[in-house]
Amino acid sequence: MNEAALLLEATKMAKKFDSVVALKAASLQVRPGEVHGLMGSNGAGKSTLVKIITGVYPADGGQIFVKGVIRSFRSPAEARRAGIVSVYQDPALVPDLTVAQNMRLAGASVDAVRKWLTELGIVRLDFSLLVRDLPDPTLRLIDLARALAWEPAVLLLDEITASLPADLSEQIYAMVKHWRQRGNAVIFISHRMAEVSALCDRATVLRDGVTAGVTERAHGSEERIVALMLGAETARAVASGPSTHAGGSRPDDAEPALEVRGLRCSPLVNEVSFKLYSGEVLGMVALEGQGQEELFDCIAGSRRYGEGAILAHGKELRLRHPADAIAAGIVLVPANRLLALLQQRPIPENIGLPAFGGIRNWGPIKSRDERARVESSIERLRIDTRAGSELRRLSGGNQQKVVIARWLASGFDILLCFDPTRGIDIGTKRQIYALVREIAAEGSAVLLFTSELTEIALACDRAIVLFGGRVVAEMPVSQADEATLLRSAHGLSPSAEAS
Amino acid sequence: MIEQAKTVFARALAAITSGGLVSFLRTRTIVALVLLLSGLLAGIHIARRGTVNALWMSNMMLFAAPLGIVAAGQTLVMLTGGIDLSVASVATASAYLMATHSGLGLAPALLYGIAVGFVVGLINGIGVALLRVQPLVMTLGTGLMTEGMLVVYSQKKMADAPRVPQFIEELGAGKFLGGIPNDLVVWVPLAMILIFVLRRTGYGRLLYAIGDNSRACSLAGIRVWRVLLVNYVTCGLLAAAAGLIIVGGTDSAELRLAEVYLLPSVAAVIIGGTSIFGGRGGYSGTIIGALILTVLNSILTLLDVPESIRQILYGAIILLLAAAYTRLTD
Amino acid sequence: MTAPAALNIRLTKRLQRSLRRDPGLFFMPALLIVSFAITVAIHPQFSDFDLQSLAMGALPLAFAAAAQTVVVIAGGIDLSVGSMMAVANVLAASLMEKASFGQSLLLALAVLIGGAGIGALNGLIVVISRIPDVVATLTSGFIWGGVALLILEKPGGGAPQEFLNLGTGTLFTPWLPNALVLLAAAVGVIWIPLRRSKLGLQLYAVGSDRIAAFRSGVNIDRTRFAAYLFSGLFSAVGGVGFTMTTGIGAPLAGVYYTLSGLAAVVVGGVSLAGGRGGMLGPVLAAFVLTLIPTDLIFLNIDPNFGQVIQGTLIVVIVMIGGFVDMERSRK
């Protein structure tokens, strides 16, 4: 290939964080006028590669060529001057400044940003608003518009659609295509295979910090991408499809394990009612911002609710602190692992943490009991413990497993999982679905919110859909195909025929 | 015993040869600290022969104990990601109140002193744990309050002059069995208890956990405020106890008695390897930190440098140590 | 809607927003007026002389607060402010003792540059050593305290009378003390251009969200360094001001200003988390904090209660702040 024709080339990039190798020999070649997918499991090194290319971290090895010239950037600002701009996973906007001040801070032209925002569908934004007062999806679009305003030759989008509602994602796809047409390149990172195959021209797949392969055509190469991501052996196991599960056979008069009655929590939760039975996995689907996060917080005891009742096995609960919920057997696996884990402490301490809630347990630790509990849950979840003494050395998927292992070790009755597979690779996702099924089979109840509609069919018995702070639809999993769920989630009637 | 030593040595050797000295020291910070302390001792020994003898060592322990006790409370607080800037005022107030009530008898006088620690610790705890005030500001405020009240109190209290009881004097300055400082009778058991608490109890686990991520603790069903409240009270009590030993050593209750302990109490913890952001460290490091600072102070005294130069050198050395340390562990 | 009405609404909106961003903007003038009213109530014969001594008393504290504010807005803390003031104070007093008025002005300028240099050193220590700023400045403060003692072991020194008049006299009317003019001028000349500049924006950005600031192209280290440099500059102005108003150099007087300056920052509504607040709040808070012991003297109460009240004020204000935040998050 003609080297000079490449817009951006990274060869044999290496990066170590202390003793942990994030990148070994990652290479990437981006041509002008293409959308290049960057794929890989969690911990494969995608984000690290992006951050090295844009000057957030220095590289330990490897070379970066921009239009054939060797470069290395010490800061995102330097990369930007060379025409390489990234939109990171969290918006790079300062919360205590106004939008206009943020633009001035970064040296972006307000007019240009406004123009791009209009193209992205945000027409009248008051630039004198504080960033902290704006909703997250808007911030992502502002971040993208600012990136576009610099007219970058290479635009890197790191999981930009991860928590965006479907309509905004569409806007972004359109913008990406537009950018490609202008002869620029877009590097697109996503866990959503459908997105990548629809949008990308080519894809580079990373595995364990090494470029595992490049597909010349992203569309139609899904199987190959999955195989590359997982390595040859595990690919077949994943391809074998969902585990079948029975479910749905319970007497009508059974007492629910968890019942939520007319729950209100301003401003987003307006009267939510549902029942969850022992031995089942109840899936929940909603677009962004329909009150699901607040609902989970209320049930887990970390948020006060105005009206309504939460009952466990027929008994009304008074939840003032997560400890109250845990005492009633209700435990939460939050979406954001950083909220739940102690990054500097070893795995066993993370798993053993809930045991010290009561003042009774402030005394000497019975280390044998603790070890037994912790080790069995580590084994059950097949957590990779090689990473050593600190949790932050684990990959995202393994960290999520630690959160679940914690509750397996301490015992529970009702498991609340909020998007537990967000940003996790397919192999680990499968493990988590299987585990959720297993937990239900053992007699616990599971409430599973997911932003990926396909997960409902894979893991749940029943599904409910939340819209505008209410439950708008309930259906057995046999009827919960993606189209139906999506219609309900948009507030439409569940089936096309009915309308 | 020898087998153990051998394996430790073998491991050390392996670590040095494989990962280099720096990475070995990084994982075993306490070894680095002990090496540093030995280096200081060797330095004095070479510079002034005959200085390092049994009497000198015993004096070092005597002087290090009160600092070690103030720093003990500071360690507990800093492990949770906090800081207590009121320890010096508390120690002074405790000593002063005890001394002015010594007429009532030893036990009531001690109680008065300790009560100061309890009350200020409780106020700190309420502010930090319940009302979520930043520890720095909260303890700064209570420190100012305590100091101010003490000044007012001392002026109203001219009739009843402070007097340090014999027992306290013995505790703070005396020695037994030909050279073991009395204050070690307080410090050594305390240190053992503290190390045990931090390593082997649920409470200790919680301190590290809260320092690492207090939101995660709350989500795991831990009522964080309880732990913090107990912790700030404990810190106050330890500062008060240290104040009593300090005044025993100087034998006069002054209004600026323990002021000089504020910076070293924080410095000893930092040098000892406890992160100011919480979640990492322990008391054994703080002990060595306190010893290093005490020896350092003694070197500066030996060299007979004026107060100004002494402050500059002392501060510069702490900065260098802290910088080296931050580099090593970061 | 008519144009003036629209303008009106826009103005109200802007006002609301700026109040939210900087609560000290409204709260502090109100508190100051209230404390003035109380002072006049207990001491009806409040005279121009009382105002002059208040202004002189508040001057160093106001600068200490200003110094701290710059660093706190950038998300740091500077526990060496008092010691830096002490260095500037003794340096000025020992150099100016036998100087002429003209020379003393030049010397004052030199001391200010020196102060900025000391602040810059602090900044280098914090940025390069990566020691947490609390520890770094607590320790460097100890060092600067030693330097002050080295320059002047005991209180002493002096300055030419004309120079002292700059701080103690009045301008136009006895009700306009020079100290007040000096304060307004120094803060105005240093802070207003700074706040409007890109560097000012960067200070706020770094204090608010360091990662987002870095990714927006802000050089974090340089910005933090600049914050400490300005802290040193304001401290030096405070130290020179202290020389002007007291006429001597006192190596140990500075210690008090570190903590009280921080108190004024907290009372003045600057968030210690960084990124929020302004300069007016802390400077006015310095006056309120100075009025307290004055009022106590008028009331024939031991002025040492002033420190008790100061401490209580910090504790109460931050506790109320914590309580309000908690109530808000509960909703």
Side-chain angles (χ1 to χ4, degrees), chain B residues 78 83 85 123 126-127 130-134 136-138 140-145 147-149 151-152 155-156 259 262-263 266-267 270 276-277 306-312 314-316 318-320 322-323 326-327 330, chain C residues 77 79 125 127-132 134-136 138-147 149-150 252 255 259-260 262-263 266 271-273 302 304-305 307-312 314-315 318-323 326 329:
Chain B
M78 286 174 71
I83 193 167
L85 293 184
I123 299 174
I126 289 172
L130 289 175
L131 298 170
R132 296 180 203 168
V133 178
Q134 286 118 319
L136 182 87
V137 190
M138 188 67 208
L140 176 71
T142 52
L144 280 178
M145 250 163 75
E147 217 175 279
M149 286 205 215
V151 174
V152 175
Q155 284 167 357
K156 301 266 170 302
E259 210 176 78
L262 180 58
L263 174 69
V266 177
I270 299 282
I276 189 165
F277 304 113
E307 176 61 23
S308 51
I309 305 282
R310 199 169 144 150
Q311 269 195 33
I312 296 170
Y314 193 70
I318 292 177
L319 268 184
L320 277 177
T326 316
R327 289 272 155 180
D330 213 32
Chain C
I77 197 159
L79 296 181
I125 291 172
V127 169
I128 292 177
S129 73
R130 287 195 254 140
I131 304 172
V134 175
V135 181
L138 193 67
T139 319
S140 74
F142 201 66
I143 298 177
W144 308 136
V147 171
L149 276 175
L150 195 64
L252 294 177
V255 182
L259 298 189
S260 297
L262 191 58
V266 172
S271 163
L272 279 183
D302 187 340
N304 281 309
F305 269 115
Q307 195 178 356
V308 182
I309 294 176
Q310 230 177 62
T312 317
I314 302 181
V315 170
V318 288
M319 276 184 163
I320 291 173
F323 190 70
M326 208 155 69
S329 68

Side-chain angles (χ1 to χ4, degrees), chain C residues 199-283:
Chain C
L199 177 61
L201 211 53
Q202 289 171 337
L203 290 174
Y204 277 89
V206 169
S208 176
D209 185 336
R210 217 178 267 189
I211 292 172
F214 175 62
R215 290 181 183 171
S216 297
V218 177
N219 186 331
I220 307 291
D221 286 349
R222 204 168 58 197
T223 309
R224 294 180 74 206
F225 170 79
Y228 284 99
L229 184 144
F230 277 99
S231 172
L233 179 61
F234 272 121
S235 303
V237 180
V240 173
F242 190 81
T243 316
M244 271 183 197
T245 53
T246 61
I248 57 158
L252 294 177
V255 182
Y256 161 83
Y257 289 107
T258 302
L259 298 189
S260 297
L262 191 58
V265 168
V266 172
V267 175
V270 176
S271 163
L272 279 183
R276 277 195 263 188
M279 188 54 86
L280 187 66
V283 169

Side-chain angles (χ1 to χ4, degrees), chain A residues 19 56 95 97 139-140 185 189 199 201 234 240 253 295 310-311 334 384 431 456:
Chain A
S19 53
V56 175
L97 298 183
L139 295 182
R140 280 174 184 272
I189 299 178
L199 204 58
D201 302 305
T234 41
S240 69
D253 56 346
L295 177 65
I310 297 171
L311 296 85
D384 184 355
Q431 271 187 24
I456 296 289

Side-chain angles (χ1 to χ4, degrees), chain B:
Chain B
M1 193 71 178
I2 293 172
E3 280 309 309
Q4 260 180 352
K6 262 187 186 165
T7 50
V8 167
F9 184 70
R11 265 190 221 151
L13 207 66
I16 291 168
T17 46
S18 70
L21 184 65
V22 171
S23 81
F24 170 73
L25 293 181
R26 186 182 295 167
T27 51
R28 291 267 174 279
T29 43
I30 207 87
V31 178
L33 288 172
V34 173
L35 282 179
L36 182 65
L37 183 60
S38 327
L40 274 178
L41 292 180
I44 304 174
H45 184 67
I46 292 164
R48 293 226 177 160
R49 282 204 177 271
T51 311
V52 183
N53 55 25
L55 176 67
W56 186 83
M57 296 280 238
S58 121
N59 277 339
M60 285 304 103
M61 298 305 274
L62 179 75
F63 298 147
L67 175 57
I69 295 170
V70 187
Q74 199 69 267
T75 307
L76 293 178
V77 168
M78 286 174 71
L79 277 177
T80 64
I83 193 167
D84 190 343
L85 293 184
S86 69
V87 284
S89 313
V90 168
T92 309
S94 154
Y96 197 87
L97 232 66
M98 184 277 300
T100 51
H101 288 90
S102 54
L104 300 175
L106 184 64
L110 289 181
L111 216 60
Y112 266 99
I114 295 297
V116 174
F118 181 80
V119 171
V120 179
L122 191 66
I123 299 174
N124 283 339
I126 289 172
V128 174
L130 289 175
L131 298 170
R132 296 180 203 168
V133 178
Q134 286 118 319
L136 182 87
V137 190
M138 188 67 208
T139 56
L140 176 71
T142 52
L144 280 178
M145 250 163 75
T146 313
E147 217 175 279
M149 286 205 215
L150 186 65
V151 174
V152 175
Y153 170 81
S154 70
Q155 284 167 357
K156 301 266 170 302
K157 201 68 188 171
M158 283 316 278
D160 210 9
R163 191 183 56 78
V164 180
Q166 183 68 33
F167 173 79
I168 292 291
E169 226 176 280
E170 273 299 311
L171 184 68
K175 293 181 182 171
F176 67 101
L177 289 182
I180 302 174
N182 287 337
D183 55 11
L184 288 193
V185 176
V186 179
W187 191 26
V188 171
L190 187 89
M192 287 184 344
I193 292 170
L194 221 61
I195 290 173
F196 177 79
V197 164
L198 287 179
R199 286 198 186 155
R200 291 254 166 269
T201 67
Y203 181 74
R205 278 286 175 82
L206 288 177
L207 292 187
Y208 287 101
I210 290 169
D212 190 305
N213 186 347
S214 83
R215 174 119 176 81
C217 291
S218 161
L219 281 179
I222 286 145
R223 293 178 204 274
V224 172
W225 66 269
R226 285 186 191 161
V227 185
L228 288 182
L229 190 67
V230 170
N231 211 32
Y232 278 90
V233 170
T234 312
C235 182
L237 291 175
L238 287 170
L244 298 181
I245 294 178
I246 295 167
V247 79
T250 62
D251 196 21
S252 73
E254 292 160 25
L255 290 178
R256 301 213 167 274
L257 178 75
E259 210 176 78
V260 292
Y261 282 87
L262 180 58
L263 174 69
S265 83
V266 177
V269 179
I270 299 282
I271 292 172
T274 297
S275 157
I276 189 165
F277 304 113
R280 259 190 297 183
Y283 188 55
S284 38
T286 304
I287 295 175
I288 315 270
L291 287 172
I292 289 176
L293 289 179
T294 310
V295 170
L296 203 62
N297 215 2
S298 144
I299 295 176
L300 295 178
T301 313
L302 271 178
L303 298 177
D304 201 23
V305 288
E307 176 61 23
S308 51
I309 305 282
R310 199 169 144 150
Q311 269 195 33
I312 296 170
L313 281 176
Y314 193 70
I317 290 168
I318 292 177
L319 268 184
L320 277 177
L321 284 178
Y325 201 82
T326 316
R327 289 272 155 180
L328 214 60
T329 50
D330 213 32

